[in-house]
Each structure stands twice: as C-alpha cells, then as structure tokens.
C-alpha cells in the first residue's frame, strides 16, 4: 500500500514555532533623513546584549589579571577572547570606548538548596539575567526586567518603548521537568508573569520598524490607517471588557494581559507616522547563515537607534542554555569547524568519551573550543559596536558614545551553572556618563557589597531612571540591587 | 459502569518494598512479626492521617532521600496538604497511574524495579515502620478499588489559538491557505503541546502581530485584485549622490515643482513600492534635460576637473564620450532596468520645453521593491561651465498588467459581503462574527461592530471598507483569538455540561485542529449535539473527514516530538551520506506510520511493533532493504529481519535522540520514558559532579563511561532507568543505520540490565518492554487528554485518565478509539469554574 509522500507533514511541523524570515531586502546602507527636530542634548540609549551559557573562566581570569590597572588602550592588545575588540585587520580599535567589569555576581540566579526543584539550571539564570530575581518552577514568574523598568519609566517618547530582539528558534523540547519554557526563552519581562515575545527574524524586525515608512505610504493613507487601527482597538477593547466580566478569576487574569496589550497598542498607534521621518534604503534577501543574520540584526539595531525608533533594546543571541540543536560549525578551532553545540563544550568538565585523548586532554580541548566560541561571540559584538560607532550624531559623538551596550551571559562558569564573577563588557560612555578605557574590578568572596543588580541600577540611572525604595525597605531592584553601582564614572 | 483496566490488587503498593512484600503479599494472613490488621477504608485513611501523613510533610532533603528525590528537594513528599485528599489520590494514582507525582507513596507503588531506599541510603526508622505498617494493612484489607465515581472534570483555562490552529482556522473560515501564522509570535508550548493554556502568555508583541496579520487577512478576504498606481512628485522625494550623501551646493536641488539633477551622479529615491501580485510593473518618469557640447577628453590631466562618468551599474569609471543627452537610469531593488533612456534634450537651459514621459517595465515578484531614478552621466569641466542636466517632474509606479492579475475569488468575497450596501450592515456583521467566533453574536456585539461601518461611511469610505474593518477587529478580538467557555456562575466551582457551541468548538479543535463546520454548528444551534447518539454520529463523521489528519499532524507529531527531526543536524564529518532529502524521508516514514495507524485502525502497540515498514527508495537503501521498484512514494514492505517498522526502530526517532555525531543512550532512554511511558526522569541536578575524579576513564567504552552515572547516588536514580533502554538500541547509529561495530572498530554492545534485573538484549527486548508496560496505553491516553483539553496533565483527576484508558482498551487501543474515549467522556463534555487558589502556583497569586 501507499501512503502519500509524507512531506506536507514535515513542512507544517517546520513552520510551527519557527520565526519564518520574510523575503525582505538586505540593508545595504544606513541612510536616515533627519527630518525630526534635533534634541539639544545627546539621546542616551541602552542595549542589553545577551549570549547564552557563559565563558571559559580560565581565560577570563587571565584576562582580568592582565587588565589589572591602567588604560586598556595602553595594553599591547586585549587579552583572551576580548582580543577582537582591540581591532586589527584594518578594523577599528574600540578599547577607548570600553569598560570591562569583573567580579560581580548575580546571586539570585543561582540554585538554592531551598528550591522546590533542582532541575532549574539555565532556567533560573536566564530568567534572572535582567530581572535579578530568583525564580522557581512554581509559582511561575520572574520580576520586571531592568530594560522594562527603564522603558516604562521613559514612556512612549519613541514609537517603540522598547524592542525585544533575538536570533533563535523556539525553546520547545528544551523545557525539562515542568520548568516553564518562558524562563529559557525570554530575558525581558513586562511584569512578573508576562515575558515579552521577541522578534527573531530580521525581515520581521525591518517590517516592524519601517512598515509605515518604507511602503511609500502617503500621509493621508497613513492617517487613514491610524484612524482605522484606533477604531479597531476600541472595539476589541470593548469585547475584552465585556468578556472579562463573565470569566472566572483565573481566566480574568489571562484576559488582563490582553487588555494591557490593547492599551499599549493604542499608545503605539497614536505614535504612528513618527518613523516616516526616517528614510532607509531597502535591499535584498535575508541571508541564511547564522553569523550573517546575526550581523544583519546588528545593522537593524543600529538603525533602530539611529532613527530614534527606540531607546531600549534587549537582544538575546540565543535562548538560555544554548542547546542549539545544531553544531556551532560557523566557529573554527584549529582551522576546523566545531562539531557540537555550545552547551556541550560548556560542560568541559565532563567531555565526551568519543573525543580523542586522555580525560585531561579532552577537558583542555573542550575549554579551548569554549574559548573559541567566546572569541567568536566577541567578534560579533565588535561588529555591532563598530556599526554603532560609525554613526556620527548631530549632537556630537557617535551612536556608540551616546549609548551604553551591556554584553554578558547568564552564567560565568557554565559547567557549574553559576552566575558568579560574570564577565561583562560595557561599551559606550552613555553620553559621557561612564568612564571608559579601563577595567573595573570588584572583589569576589562572601563580603561582596556590589552586585550585578547594582550595575543594572547604575545603567538605569544614566538613562535618567531612578528607583524609589519600596515601602518598608528592601532592595531597589531585583533581590539585591541596593544602589547604583559605584565607580562607573571613574 | 466504570471498568478498571489495570486490575492490580492493592498489595502492589508494597512491591517496592522487597523485604516487606514477601511478608505481605500473601493475604489474608500477614506474618505475625508485622502487626498489620485488616481495616476498612475509613480506618486506613485515619491511620494514614494520624501516623503517616504528618511524617511526609517533612522536606525531602532530610534523611538522605534527596539523592533519588532530588527533584522535590525541600518540598514535602506529599503535594496535597489535606490528609484525606492525599489518601484518596494516592490510592487512585498508586494503583492506576504510575506516572503520578514523584512522592513517596508513588515510589512505593512503582513497578519498574527501582527499590527504595537505594543501597547506602538511610530511611528514618519511624517513617519506615509507619509506612510499612500502612502498606501492609492495605494489602491485608483487600480494599475495593478506589472510587472514581465523582471524577472531577477539572477546570480548563481560557485557551488561545495556537499558531497552527490559527492557520487552520484562517483556511477554513476565511479561505486563506497561506499559513498566515508565519507573521505571528512563536508559540510557547507547555507539557509538549502548543495548545496548553497554562503555558500561553500574551504581550504587546503578540497583539501587534495579531493586528497586522488580521488586517492583511481582512483586506485579502474581500479583495478584488486590481492594479496599483502611485504617483511620486519629484519635489517631495529625497535625493542622494553616488556615495550616499546628500547633494551639496551645485549638485542638484529642487527647483519649483521638479527635481534638478546637476553635475554629479545622483539619484532620486522612490522608496519602497508595493507589488501586490507577481507581474509586470511600469515605472514612468516625466523628464527633460540639457545636453553638453561634444567634447572628448583624451588626457584627463590636462583639465582642472575632467569628466566623471559611470554606468549606473557596476562598471568602471569611464572617460566621457560625449555630446551626450542626459541618460536616465531606473533601478529596482538595486538592479538596472533596461539599458537607460536618452532623454530628449536641448543645448541651452533657456530652450527647455515641456516634460516628456519615459517608461521602463520590469517583471517582479509580490512584495515591496525599491525604486530609484538616476542621472547616469555627468559632464562637467571648469573651463566652460556646462553640464548635462536632468529635470524630473514625477515618477509613476503602476502594475501589474491586467493580464497578470489573479482571478477574482467571488465565492470567498460573497461569504462575508452579503450585499454591497449599507442596507445589510447588521446582517453582514452578524454573519461575520458568527463565522469567526464560532457562535452567534449578541445584538450588543453587532451594534458595537456597526460603529466601524458607520465610521467608514462618515469618512467617505465604502461599505466594503467598513466591512473590512469589521473583519479586522473580529480577527483581533478575544472572541476569536481565545476560546471562551462562559460559566453562569464563574466563581462557583460546580461542574456543568458544556453547551452545544462550546462542545462543537472543543470537538473541532480536538479532532480537526480548526473551527467547527456548518454541520456541527447546526447541531449546536439545535441543541442536540450534547446527546450521546448525535455526538457519536458527529464524531464518526469528523473522523472520516480529511481534516482528521490533524490527529496525526498535530497530536501525534507533538506527542512524539517529531519536530526535533527537523532541527536535527547530524555532523557532515561523521555522516557524509546524510542529506536533507534523507531527513525528509525519515519524516515521511513517521508520517506514513501514523497516517496508516489512523486510517487503518492499527493499535497503539503496532506503532512500536509493526509487521510492515514504510519506505521510499531512499529509506529502503538506508535500512538495507530491497529498494527494487520503489520511488518517492512511501510503500509498506515487509521488514524481514531488520526489526524496522515501529517508532523505536525508525531512523527519525533514532536520529533526533542522538547527538550530531554520536548516539546518546541517555537521550534515547529519556525520550522513551517521557513520551511513551510518561515517566520523565529528572534533569541532572545543578552542580553535578561529572568529573569522575581519580579514575582513569580515558579508555572506557561509551557504555563504561555512562555507567559512571550509576555509581553516583545523585545520578543513579534516573540514569539506572534511562541508560539501559538506550544501550539496548546501540545497534543503530546516530542517523539510525544498523551497525555491529562502533567507529573505533569495537563491536557494539547492546545488552543492558534494568535495575530490577531484567536484561534487554537489543531492539526486540526494548519493544517488548514497552509493549508489556501498562504505562504505555495509559500514557498515550494521558497525552491525548492533555492535548484535547489543553490542560496541564498533573491537574487531571486520575480517574479521568483511567476512564479514558478504559474506553481506549474497549475500542481495541486504536487512535480513533482513543479519540472517541476522550470526546465521549464526561471530562471532555463538562467543565467547572476554577476553585479559589487553584492556579496560585501558575499566576503567583496575582489574580
């Protein structure tokens, strides 16, 4: 007997959950037209650049020692996997615009003996990266993430209050032992139980940013669309309100998420037309290879800042844990493509028996490959930073100068799933409010007074966002953010 | 009426206690060394409540239990604080549901050989004696089966359409087969399925995309294809010079109502223009210009500034060959269209006359396309101050040609545009809402949507424009995106039967993955769908319908995690013969197995042990079967001695449970336990010490290496179950090829022992192990209930699973029997509002 060819089935499966790229043009140049009134002072922006699953901490320890004092730019280069930031090959040296930070912990991210489930590795650290709260399997929820605290505080001064971008597929199948997929999949949380969906396809990002400006829409047409959208939102809001009154408690909560989204959509609809002032060149097919798409996302983030479409971006290179389902074959080690995913190498302490050599040799090989991935990650970061630094702003300085990029991972040492001694790179001085070209070291150990959450508070402060102490005392942000991190301004 | 399919007597509870089982397994006379008199259910419940339950409220991580119970760590062993409820649930689960919570009582009920406590682990004496005494008493008492008579239908949370359901809904309700969910936010599946409400959240990112996709669907549903025409007035467009900069002084500017090109290669940016359909589009430019006098420039260095000239495409800089007219070049998406146009020109600006039109045409795909108009040639030299100039007045974008337009889908339009007049406003709205919302709209709702039509009218738009806004809103409404089931008293947790519309919608999304059809809605309206006979007949009809393929494409594919096949990426180094075509064949086989199982009423056991194997020519070769006469189609052939044909021996499953370059016995065992037996092992604890310090493990075989798991108490509990099942499948490599040696040349070792001493010798024994495990059909039922209700399986009343499993057995264990058992059962056909605090764990107590 014959049963079809079975292939339609694969297609539908493939479509499910994957961000399917739109066949939109590739960016060939970034050419905005500055039709909007120029603000008198530099616009400050923040970009959280997340990479999954940690670093080779041996290399990092060496690098920290090498950068012990003095200016980064007076070193012969940059140590370890930071090297690509020092330029070479005709690429710009970024050292004068960097602040390397070492020795901070995100302690709330770590497993605790009191947790109700011990399988939360990666879930707990990833969900805590920007929220600095300890999460449990149940009840579901992280805390509001720092980017959302900033975005909420800034309000709708730009068409997008914030952007959540990423470059990974669905986290389905990676969610073990009843831990919510959302912990692995998202770093931005609007509130404790509302993770924010990312845009994962470059074409989709382009369309989101420029759909109202790039389509040759006339002002009259745009006004018509805006009026229509506002009317539609009115009607669905009324639908939801009517439904809300007839639902039980638990369902009402789900519908409240919908109502909140409608309110936000309404504010955004009111801002329609703002992006029309920023004209971009359009352009070719979205590339297939992961590194190329990563660079295209960097182009798009640059564009979003340049056109002032948002001032807050969180970018998640991949969902937590970096179980890619695919080898990191775009990273070379000893001239050969890697054959496993980052997660495999991150557990360097338990190398596979199928590798060659003694246990010690195999561990060393894994560490070297992990460092090669870290180096590649820093190369891609450097690409973004150079793009930002290429854009000279009317108010003086470059986009990079006026922004701050925080690069880091949910883990320091990945093998033990620890969010301690996080390797962190800040780039850009956020309009001269951060002293760069140096290494800022915090001391480890039990007496730590300064935390990763403090760093979040320090950056928020530079965006003009301050936190009031809660009634009855307690941290300003997350579980252990008690003050803006000292020392950022030199 | 309720039948028990798993007729284990109560004393199975003691099987985990080997020493005690001997003493208690021979009722009614237990040995006198243990004092365990028989008792009534009430007495035993009382003993549990007073002597056992309080002890089990301690955290797991005291007393050396954490090694095995690590997933529960500091949580108490029991999940229900109430002793009576715990006793009832433990009775039911312990007997009927080996997949229950990993509590101490569930451990006692385990039949998979994992003894408690593990060697070397202590069990506090008081606890041991209290538990043993209770278990012994229960065995001695020969209690009747735990009562399932009051099975709780449970609460079903408000479900949102998954992306796949959205596509199927758009296809059925709107006639849109483009799978529009590619524009939506990705699903966040929970418990393995895309439709589990507790895992669904909604943010502005979701809603924005619902709005955008809905607007497109609304527009296209009513669309009469037509050509577009856009006029771009040149003076309103921006210009750039060749290097992307703005033109400087003397390099071009707006003069009056046209743009004046001058002196330098530059272009007017026509932005992105929309091509709604594939076809030929025309760009027409109204232009005029001045030419430059003839001049040749043989020696560029002899002049202050000689000639600049470049073909607009990628040519080299050229010396001028002039006496040229201005050459106008149109580029679309960065590509030159045609060869450039010589614009009729005059020698002196004072002679300039009216503009003339110049056109180029280009075939394009649908989408947005960039349009630019260049002045290609520039002649300028300082001595004579004479330029080629070009004035552009307007650019017009039109297309496609009428012949390229798709035909009008009149039936699709007529489904919503009942008439093209404001007179049928309310009728058209009521119709649209009923189609999209799967129930009749109320008069209030019709009035609410009428405002959209009236506003369109007030803005001078047509009735059709207004109706488009209605569709747009209806598609973004919670009444469409969610599947509300409204209780008369939503805060009183009393069960009630579903009404006809609720049942029609549940049924259709369960069986078809899409909306109810006219038949179902007619029965809902008539009120007879809730009757057993009508429901049964409708269900039979639905199962015969091609849409029932959703059971394979949605349920089975997610149950078995087959999307992992798509994302598998075997190492090209290790498997040079692997290809995407082969991967497609792997998927094709699984599709064929499942389609055959559904259509031909195979039992669930035949899914893993089948007398036929579905192969195309490529897969037959991969399996070492005779490929003679085979092509692209999948054909059932005899597996011969290959052992192929079932899920466990399929290359797709074997590949997706492997690493890119090697097999993973652990992953294979885990998949089997989790998907087929619903006994998911926990993930490794954090800070796991996998270093095997002090041991020289470099020369160990893969198996010896993994056996290190079982020497560590923190790993042993789970790996002792997972790894042997995977080791017995070592006769297949990471892309599912049969093998007898590893890459190293060592012979494959596919014999392994389970903790209870059962030896598995290769594939056949694994198949037999799964087939004989009562957890297999039970697990299948549990997975289908999860899918059907979109509910977290740990929230089911175990009795509901038992009832469905019973129907599954009665129907001969076929997939259709399972669908019927679910759909005809009370859990599916009724609902109850949530209890106070029922979802506190989910929402953090927020509501």
């Amino acid at each position: 007997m014959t049963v079809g060819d079975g292939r339609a089935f694969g297609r539908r499966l493939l479509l499910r959950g994957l961000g399917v790229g739109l066949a939109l043009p590739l960016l060939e140049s970034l050419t905005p037209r500055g039709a909007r009134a120029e603000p008198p002072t530099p616009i400050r922006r923040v970009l959280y650049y997340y990479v999954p699953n940690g670093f080779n901490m041996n290399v990092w320890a060496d690098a920290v020692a090498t950068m012990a004092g003095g200016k980064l730019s007076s070193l012969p280069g940059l140590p370890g996997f930071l090297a690509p930031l020092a330029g070479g090959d005709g690429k710009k040296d970024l050292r004068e615009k960097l602040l390397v930070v070492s020795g901070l912990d995100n302690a709330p991210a770590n497993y605790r003996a009191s947790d109700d489930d011990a399988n939360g590795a990666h879930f707990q650290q990833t969900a805590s990266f920007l929220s600095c709260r300890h999460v449990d399997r149940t009840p579901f929820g992280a805390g509001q993430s720092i980017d959302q605290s900033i975005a909420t505080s800034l309000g709708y001064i730009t068409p997008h209050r914030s952007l959540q971008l990423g470059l990974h597929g669905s986290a389905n199948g990676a969610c073990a032992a009843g831990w919510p997929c959302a912990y692995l999949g998202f770093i931005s949380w609007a509130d404790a139980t509302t993770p924010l969906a990312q845009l994962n396809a470059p074409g989709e990002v382009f369309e989101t940013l420029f759909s109202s400006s790039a389509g040759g829409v006339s002002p009259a047409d745009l006004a018509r669309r805006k009026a229509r959208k506002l009317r539609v939102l009115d009607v669905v809001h009324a639908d939801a309100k009517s439904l809300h009154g007839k639902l039980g408690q638990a369902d009402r909560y789900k519908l409240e998420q919908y109502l909140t989204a409608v309110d936000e959509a309404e504010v955004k609809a009111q801002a329609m037309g703002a992006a029309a002032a920023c004209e971009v060149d359009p352009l070719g097919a979205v590339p297939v290879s992961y590194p190329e798409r990563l660079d295209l996302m960097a182009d798009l983030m640059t564009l979003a800042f340049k056109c002032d479409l948002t001032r807050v971006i969180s970018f998640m290179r991949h969902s937590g844990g970096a179980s890619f389902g695919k080898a990191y074959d775009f990273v070379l080690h000893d001239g050969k493509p890697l054959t496993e995913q980052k997660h495999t190498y991150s557990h360097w302490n338990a190398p596979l028996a199928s590798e060659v050599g003694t246990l010690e040799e195999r561990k060393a090989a894994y560490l070297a490959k992990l460092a090669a991935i870290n180096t590649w990650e820093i190369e891609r970061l450097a690409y973004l930073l150079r793009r930002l630094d290429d854009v000279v702003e009317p108010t003086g300085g470059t986009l990079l100068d006026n922004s701050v990029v925080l690069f880091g991972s949910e883990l320091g040492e990945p093998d033990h799933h620890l969010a301690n001694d996080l390797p962190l790179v800040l780039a850009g001085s956020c309009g001269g409010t951060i002293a760069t070209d140096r290494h800022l070291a915090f001391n480890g150990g039990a007496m730590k007074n300064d935390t990763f959450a403090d760093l979040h508070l320090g950056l928020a402060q530079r965006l003009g966002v301050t936190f009031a102490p809660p009634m009855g005392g307690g941290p300003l942000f997350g579980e252990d953010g008690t003050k803006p991190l000292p020392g950022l301004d030199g | 009426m309720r039948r028990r399919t798993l007729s284990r007597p109560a004393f199975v509870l003691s099987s985990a206690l080997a020493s005690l089982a001997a003493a208690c397994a021979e009722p009614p006379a237990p040995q006198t060394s243990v004092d365990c008199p028989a008792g009534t259910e009430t007495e035993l419940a009382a003993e549990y409540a007073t002597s056992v339950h309080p002890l089990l409220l301690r955290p797991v991580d005291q007393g050396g239990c954490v090694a095995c119970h690590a997933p529960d760590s500091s949580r108490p062993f029991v999940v229900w604080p109430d002793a009576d409820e715990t006793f009832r649930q433990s009775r039911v689960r312990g007997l009927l549901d080996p997949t229950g919570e990993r509590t101490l009582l569930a451990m006692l009920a385990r039949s998979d050989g994992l003894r408690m406590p593990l060697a070397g682990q202590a069990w506090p004496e008081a606890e041991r004696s209290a538990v043993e005494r209770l278990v012994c008493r229960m065995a001695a008492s020969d209690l009747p089966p735990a009562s399932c008579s009051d099975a709780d239908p449970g609460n079903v949370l408000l479900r949102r359409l998954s992306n796949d359901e959205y596509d199927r809904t758009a296809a059925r309700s709107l006639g849109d087969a483009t799978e529009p969910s590619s524009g939506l936010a990705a699903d966040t599946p929970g418990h393995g399925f895309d439709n589990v409400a507790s895992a669904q959240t909604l943010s502005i990112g979701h809603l924005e995309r619902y709005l955008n996709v809905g607007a497109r669907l609304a527009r296209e549903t009513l669309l009469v294809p037509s050509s577009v025409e856009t006029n771009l007035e040149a003076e309103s467009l921006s210009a750039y010079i060749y290097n992307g900069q703005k033109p400087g002084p003397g390099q071009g500017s707006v003069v009056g109502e046209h743009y004046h090109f001058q002196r330098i290669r530059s272009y007017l940016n026509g932005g992105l223009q929309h091509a709604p359909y594939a076809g030929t589009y025309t760009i027409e430019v109204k232009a005029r210009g001045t030419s430059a006098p003839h001049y040749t420039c043989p020696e560029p260095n002899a002049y202050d500034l000689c000639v600049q000239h470049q073909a607009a495409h990628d040519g080299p800089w050229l010396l001028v060959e002039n006496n040229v007219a201005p050459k106008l070049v149109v580029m679309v998406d960065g590509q030159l269209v045609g060869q450039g146009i010589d614009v009729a020109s005059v020698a002196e600006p004072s002679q300039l006359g009216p503009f003339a039109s110049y056109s180029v045409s280009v075939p394009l795909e649908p989408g947005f396309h960039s349009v630019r108009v260049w002045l290609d040639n520039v002649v300028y030299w300082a001595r004579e101050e004479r330029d080629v100039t070009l004035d552009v007045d307007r650019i017009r974008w039109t297309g496609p040609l009428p012949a390229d337009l798709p035909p009008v889908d009149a039936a699709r339009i007529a489904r919503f545009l009942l008439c093209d007049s404001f007179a049928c406003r309310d009728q058209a709205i009521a119709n649209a809402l009923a189609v999209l919302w799967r129930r009749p709209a109320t008069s209030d709702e019709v009035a609410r949507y009428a405002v959209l039509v009236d506003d369109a009218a007030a803005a001078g738009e047509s009735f059709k424009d207004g109706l488009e806004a209605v569709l747009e809103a209806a598609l973004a409404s919670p009444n469409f995106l969610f599947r509300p089931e409204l209780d008369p008293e939503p805060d009183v947790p009393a069960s009630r039967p579903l009404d006809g519309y609720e049942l029609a919608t549940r049924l259709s999304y369960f069986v078809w993955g899409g909306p109810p059809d006219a038949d179902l809605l007619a029965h809902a309206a008539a009120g007879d769908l809730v009757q057993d006979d009508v429901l049964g007949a409708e269900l039979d009809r639905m199962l015969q319908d091609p849409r029932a393929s959703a059971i394979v494409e949605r349920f089975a594919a997610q149950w078995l995690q087959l999307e992992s096949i798509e994302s598998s990426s075997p190492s090209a180094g290790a498997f040079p013969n692997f290809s995407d075509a082969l991967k497609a064949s792997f998927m094709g086989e699984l599709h064929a197995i499942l389609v055959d199982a559904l259509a031909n009423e195979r039992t669930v056991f035949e899914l893993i042990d089948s007398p036929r194997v579905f192969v195309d020519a490529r897969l037959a070769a991969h399996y070492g079967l005779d490929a003679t006469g085979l092509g692209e189609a999948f054909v059932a052939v005899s597996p011969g001695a290959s052992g192929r044909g079932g899920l466990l021996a399929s290359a797709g499953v074997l590949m997706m449970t492997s690493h890119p370059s090697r097999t993973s016995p652990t992953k294979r065992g885990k998949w089997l336990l989790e998907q087929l037996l619903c006994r998911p092992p926990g993930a490794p604890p954090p800070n796991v010490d996998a270093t095997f310090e002090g041991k020289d493990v470099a020369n160990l075989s893969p198996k010896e290496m993994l056996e290190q798991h079982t020497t560590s108490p923190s790993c042993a509990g789970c790996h002792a179950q997972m790894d042997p099942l995977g080791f017995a499948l070592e006769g297949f490599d990471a892309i599912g090829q049969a093998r007898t040696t590893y890459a190293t040349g060592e012979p494959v070792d596919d014999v392994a022992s389970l903790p209870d001493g059962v030896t598995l010798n290769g594939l056949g024994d694994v198949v037999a192990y799964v087939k004989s495990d009562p957890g297999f059909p039970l697990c299948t039922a549990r997975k289908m209930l999860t899918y059907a209700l979109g509910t977290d399986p740990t929230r089911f009343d175990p009795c509901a699973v038992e009832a469905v499993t019973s129907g599954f057995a009665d129907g001969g264990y076929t997939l259709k029997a399972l669908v019927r058992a679910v759909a005809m059962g009370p859990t599916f056909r009724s609902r109850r509002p949530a209890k106070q605090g029922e979802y506190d764990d989910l929402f953090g107590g927020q509501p």
Side-chain angles (χ1 to χ4, degrees), chain B residues 705-771:
Chain B
M705 188 78 191
L706 273 183
E707 277 174 356
Q708 298 296 323
H709 289 146
T710 58
T711 65
S712 157
S714 63
C715 306
C718 297
H719 280 281
Q721 306 159 63
M722 286 186 285
D723 295 356
L725 292 164
F727 277 125
L729 298 172
E730 279 286 88
F732 300 96
D733 69 13
I735 59 170
Q737 297 177 111
R739 63 178 177 184
T740 54
T741 59
Y742 293 109
T744 58
E746 295 289 310
V748 161
D749 177 4
D750 62 354
V751 181
S753 291
L754 288 164
D756 58 2
V758 171
T759 298
L760 300 171
N761 188 350
L763 169 70
D765 284 356
V766 181
V767 168
Y769 175 82
V770 176
K771 270 183 78 176

Side-chain angles (χ1 to χ4, degrees), chain A residues 15 118-119 139 214 239 258 352, chain B residues 179 272 448-449 476 662 683 686 841:
Chain A
L15 285 167
N119 293 309
D239 282 348
Y258 179 92
L352 302 173
Chain B
E179 299 186 339
L272 284 174
R448 185 181 303 150
Y449 277 71
R662 64 201 156 82
D841 58 333

Side-chain angles (χ1 to χ4, degrees), chain B residues 679-693:
Chain B
R679 287 202 290 269
N687 307 334
V688 60
D689 178 12
T691 59
F692 314 129
E693 286 300 340

